[in-house]
Amino acid sequence: MADRDTSRGEGGERSGSASGWPLPALVVLVALLLLLVVDRGQPPAPSAASAPASEFSAGRAHAVLAELLGDGQPHPLGSAANRLVRDRILARLTALGYSPRLEEGFACYHSRECGRVENVVARLAGREPDGGAVLLACHYDSVPAGPGASDNMTGVAAVLEVARALKADPQPRNSVVLLIDDGEEGGLLGATAFAESSPEAAEIKVVVNVDARGTAGPSLMFETGVPNGWVIPLWARAAKNPATTSVAATVYSYLPNDTDLTVFKRHHLPGLNFAFLDNPAYYHTPLDNLANASPASLQHHGDNALAAVRGLAGADLLHPPAGDLVFFSVLGLGVVRWPVGWTPVLAVLALALVLAVAVRALRRGTLRGGALAAGIAAPLLVLAAVWLAAYALHFVLQTMGALRSNWLAHPLPAVAAFWLAALALVVLLGGVLTRWAGALGVWAGVWIILALAGLLLALSLPGLSYPFLLTALAAGIAGLAAGVGKSVHAGIAASTAVAMIVGALLWFPVLMPLYTALGIGGLQVIAALVAVALLGLAPLAGAATRPARRFVGWAAVAGTLIAAVAAMTEPTFSAASPQPLNLVFHQDADSRRAHWLASQRPLPPVLRRAGGFALSERPFPWAPPGVRWFSAPAPVLAAEGPRLTVAASSADGGKRRLRLHMSSPRGAAVATLYVPVTAKLESITIEGRPVLAPETILGSGTHLPPPQPGSAPGFGWYAFTDLTLPAGGCDVEAVLGESGPLDWYVSDRTPGLPPSGRALLAARPVEATPIQDGDVTIFTRKVTI
């Protein structure tokens, strides 16, 4: 027999008989919607190689991918393997009927890295030669640690298959330029060289870029240029399985991450950027190989790129409409979008409707002012509690060793613990808070707060606003229609169900990729946003019977504990999801002392014993403080270290002008110059190219700002790298504000360890793998300048 609660709460509403079924039923429905969102968020099945010529086929593209990768060796900028990949791309484009060409250049980017690039450029001429051109871009170089099958040879294979499909179409209105560029991993160097010096750069009006930060998952349209109001619809109308959200585009614009589209955005070009993110532990490692490259993700990539290019190639590129959009996809069926200017109007409407429900309840006497005030405080208290609980849960899991890596071998238990903790607190605290505010007071407070959040975001960051304002809008409309304020329980149940269904379809596509995008550092954020998405359950929990409320709440608590224990028992790393671990051979060319180095923790015991590693101080003056290094003595090599010589030096007006020559007698292809902040560096060029010229400097000083906030040890250095150092070295010119002599450093780097490191390589367990630059041999030298 259900509990009966006939008391009149602070809210003034007569509760009548509480209803047990809506809360658990709605939780089950929301869980089913989560499964639906997950299922609909998967990339489409790959099309066979026999697909019609006008369609994108992952079967055809995957065969091209295998051909381009060859023996699967890494092919970083400047390497012989990279030149082989380049030649295969040229041959494939020629076989497709294009006339590709190489554009060679030397470029520097704001990351303070420079290099010689070889871009592959081809063109599909349009009917209107003066109508501008669409640029379809990707990069073909990999990092030194891995073969880059997904990042970004899948992008190359997709572009080549799109190029084939475009040849099967009638001639497009606008020309399409294919850019398969070099040196993206080194600092967007190929895109920079194209934008600065290609003869076709001036006619580009819009860019479509394809890249990857994993090896699987849906191809997300995660970034746009400005304006995007005319670009997004042209892709969305033809996209087969669109996956996108302006939340991702807005957040990404504030992150320090870059792709080639960043270069073109700096040149004020609009565009669309596509990438897939799953399996982040494979990113920039040897596991980014052909076997792990998902044909389904390749299919989604190609479908997106082909739809975007076809739409843009038929548009008026010379007179595009202005304005930006708020946008999001729904279950892969289509893209909902509206002009940014509409967003405050929708937000005000949502707030007005929710307030209308509250005002009607106040007039009827079913809600009192004090209860409304308490109800407005209720969601804020719930969110604060969730944040604190998530912090505590993160601390416990980290202390117990469950969060030792940003990417876990088995992340589901940890992620589930934070989701379930949010659900538990929303339900249990919702039940407690309704004792003071009443179910109707909490209902009004939840949706007023979310509507206000939507309004504030609509005015400041409109791309983030739609999950807030649309759920509040649904609650307001449903609240008025369901008569919330007259029939309290029935009205709250009906309106909450509508709002939660809408919210699930809006919030879950945003929440699901968050761990993949942020790793364990985002678990607290995930818990907080899950709580926001589930806040509508709080008043329903208060209106439910105690058994129903306790069943849902304590079941979520139990689930949290079980998931947390499972997270503690799961191994952090596995052969399929290994620990990133680079080994370094370092030799000081001045003292002729050599060491093995490793900075990753924990250092596997078998490797620690094999090398005789022990914790040590920072091995380089420019190494970041706070990082614990492991060091072990290593046999000295007979090779000579890098050189930095002063070819000319002059002083004028308190400034010092230097012409230097940096070289590597042992033939290293990568060399880095470390300049102390105390040199008051004003400008520097490598091979005549400005790395950071005065007009690009951020800040108001007359010299470069510190590379990191403050002047703590390890942050007092600028690093400038030539990634393709010629055999004869390179020339460097610098202007300083400090005339006195200072100690500079120069290093050179080659891939891999010397033969004496074979035992260490053999001792590295299968649960550990190189990443980014991989294992390297570094020589350093101090030079007084």
Side-chain angles (χ1 to χ4, degrees):
M1 180 176 178
D3 288 356
R4 292 182 60 85
D5 183 358
T6 59
S7 63
R8 184 179 294 273
E10 174 68 21
E13 76 271 19
R14 184 171 297 279
S15 298
S17 60
S19 180
W21 66 265
L23 177 63
L26 188 54
V27 170
V28 170
L29 177 59
V30 169
L32 292 175
L33 288 173
L34 175 61
L35 295 177
L36 176 64
V37 168
V38 171
D39 178 70
R40 292 295 302 171
Q42 300 305 307
S47 297
S50 58
S54 60
E55 296 181 6
F56 186 95
S57 162
R60 289 187 289 254
H62 199 267
V64 171
L65 173 62
E67 173 193 320
L68 296 177
L69 284 170
D71 60 3
Q73 293 301 306
H75 51 282
L77 172 68
S79 66
N82 205 36
R83 290 189 288 273
L84 289 175
V85 172
R86 173 207 66 192
D87 290 343
R88 294 178 192 129
I89 294 169
L90 288 167
R92 173 58 57 176
L93 281 168
T94 301
L96 291 174
Y98 289 85
S99 300
R101 69 179 189 278
L102 279 181
E103 289 186 351
E104 301 181 20
F106 186 83
C108 299
Y109 196 62
H110 71 83
S111 59
R112 300 167 186 165
E113 294 175 308
C114 302
R116 291 167 180 79
V117 297
E118 295 180 324
N119 293 337
V120 177
V121 181
R123 182 185 187 88
L124 179 67
R127 300 190 308 272
E128 299 181 7
D130 298 326
V134 178
L135 182 69
L136 176 58
C138 64
H139 71 90
Y140 71 89
D141 62 306
S142 76
V143 295
S150 291
D151 180 24
N152 186 38
M153 293 307 293
T154 52
V156 176
V159 166
L160 292 175
E161 172 67 2
V162 168
R164 184 209 56 76
L166 292 175
K167 280 284 189 179
D169 291 347
Q171 186 179 22
R173 173 181 178 179
N174 305 308
S175 297
V176 177
V177 175
L178 309 176
L179 170 63
I180 305 175
D181 65 55
D182 195 9
E184 191 268 357
E185 301 292 3
L188 317 183
L189 301 181
T192 299
F194 178 88
E196 292 179 350
S197 59
S198 174
E200 289 175 304
E203 65 175 315
I204 301 301
K205 304 302 179 185
V206 65
V207 181
V208 176
N209 187 64
V210 285
D211 210 329
R213 213 208 66 177
T215 65
S219 174
L220 304 172
M221 199 287 284
F222 68 98
E223 183 186 18
T224 69
V226 177
N228 64 30
W230 66 280
V231 179
I232 292 172
L234 292 171
W235 159 67
R237 290 181 192 128
K240 295 181 179 180
N241 298 278
T244 188
T245 167
S246 56
V247 171
T250 303
V251 172
Y252 189 84
S253 67
Y254 288 92
L255 297 177
N257 307 62
D258 289 322
T259 68
D260 281 334
L261 186 62
T262 305
V263 173
F264 300 109
K265 288 173 68 175
R266 289 176 179 269
H267 286 77
H268 309 293
L269 288 173
L272 300 170
N273 209 355
F274 298 95
F276 43 85
L277 310 176
D278 287 4
N279 297 335
Y282 296 172
Y283 178 60
H284 284 180
T285 75
L287 290 172
D288 184 6
N289 53 34
L290 181 63
N292 290 326
S294 166
S297 298
L298 178 56
Q299 180 69 46
H300 204 191
H301 236 19
D303 286 343
N304 278 328
L306 183 57
V309 171
R310 279 177 171 158
L312 294 167
D316 182 356
L317 301 181
L318 300 182
H319 308 93
D324 294 314
L325 299 178
V326 172
F327 55 91
F328 56 93
S329 55
V330 179
L331 300 178
L333 302 175
V335 178
V336 177
R337 54 198 183 269
W338 62 77
V340 164
W342 291 10
T343 311
V345 177
L346 291 172
V348 169
L349 177 60
L351 181 59
L353 289 174
V354 174
L355 289 175
V357 176
V359 169
R360 186 171 69 176
L362 288 169
R363 289 177 176 174
R364 291 178 179 271
T366 53
L367 178 65
R368 297 175 182 171
L372 179 59
I376 290 173
L380 302 178
L381 292 173
V382 170
L383 294 178
V386 169
W387 183 258
L388 291 174
Y391 177 85
L393 180 59
H394 193 281
F395 176 80
V396 170
L397 291 177
Q398 195 163 44
T399 302
M400 298 301 293
L403 305 179
R404 293 186 295 174
S405 173
N406 200 43
W407 312 113
L408 305 175
H410 305 283
L412 181 59
V415 175
F418 284 83
W419 276 66
L420 290 169
L423 171 61
L425 287 171
V426 167
V427 171
L428 293 176
L429 288 180
V432 171
L433 292 170
T434 52
R435 297 177 188 174
W436 289 275
L440 183 53
V442 175
W443 184 97
V446 164
W447 299 115
I448 287 172
I449 288 296
L450 291 183
L452 284 171
L455 179 57
L456 291 174
L457 290 171
L459 297 173
S460 56
L461 298 168
L464 304 181
S465 65
Y466 73 84
F468 296 88
L469 68 89
L470 289 184
T471 51
L473 185 63
I477 294 173
L480 287 174
V484 172
K486 294 188 298 182
S487 177
V488 175
H489 287 148
I492 288 176
S495 61
T496 298
V498 171
M500 292 299 296
I501 291 170
V502 172
L505 296 177
L506 298 178
W507 275 111
F508 288 162
V510 174
L511 292 168
M512 291 308 298
L514 279 184
Y515 169 78
T516 305
L518 302 176
I520 63 169
L523 290 175
Q524 286 177 252
V525 174
I526 291 172
L529 291 178
V530 169
V532 171
L534 300 180
L535 267 179
L537 294 175
L540 196 59
T545 60
R546 290 188 182 92
R549 179 170 62 247
R550 289 173 178 174
F551 172 77
V552 174
W554 290 109
V557 170
T560 302
L561 296 176
I562 293 170
V565 171
M568 295 176 194
T569 58
E570 292 284 2
T572 304
F573 306 110
S574 68
S577 182
Q579 174 189 12
L581 199 162
N582 291 341
L583 297 172
V584 177
F585 172 88
H586 169 235
Q587 183 160 315
D588 187 319
D590 300 315
S591 66
R592 292 191 61 79
R593 294 180 179 178
H595 294 85
W596 304 114
L597 298 171
S599 63
Q600 284 81 6
R601 297 187 72 184
L603 191 66
V606 62
L607 186 58
R608 188 168 184 171
R609 290 192 299 268
F613 284 99
L615 286 171
S616 69
E617 299 297 323
R618 290 183 298 137
F620 315 111
W622 54 87
V627 176
R628 304 296 300 274
W629 288 80
F630 292 93
S631 176
V636 175
L637 297 181
E640 187 177 347
R643 293 175 181 169
L644 182 66
T645 57
V646 180
S649 176
S650 62
D652 180 24
K655 299 183 186 299
R656 190 178 179 198
R657 303 180 185 275
L658 296 171
R659 185 157 55 86
L660 310 168
H661 189 74
M662 182 169 61
S663 62
S664 173
R666 68 188 187 96
V670 180
T672 301
L673 177 64
Y674 296 93
V675 183
V677 169
T678 50
K680 299 179 182 178
L681 188 61
E682 295 187 9
S683 67
I684 188 167
T685 65
I686 297 178
E687 292 293 339
R689 298 290 298 180
V691 184
L692 278 179
E695 62 270 16
T696 67
I697 296 171
L698 300 177
S700 58
T702 58
H703 54 80
L704 295 180
Q708 297 286 346
S711 56
F715 289 145
W717 298 86
Y718 303 107
F720 303 96
T721 301
D722 189 336
L723 295 166
T724 54
L725 185 71
C730 68
D731 292 325
V732 179
E733 296 185 0
V735 178
L736 315 177
E738 174 59 53
S739 59
L742 294 168
D743 289 337
W744 294 21
Y745 285 85
V746 62
S747 74
D748 63 9
R749 183 177 82 218
T750 51
L753 302 182
S756 56
R758 289 172 183 164
L760 291 180
L761 296 177
R764 179 163 49 199
V766 294
E767 295 83 13
T769 187
I771 192 170
Q772 298 287 121
D773 292 331
D775 302 329
V776 293
T777 295
I778 297 175
F779 280 62
T780 61
R781 185 186 300 277
K782 181 170 68 175
V783 182
T784 302
I785 300 293

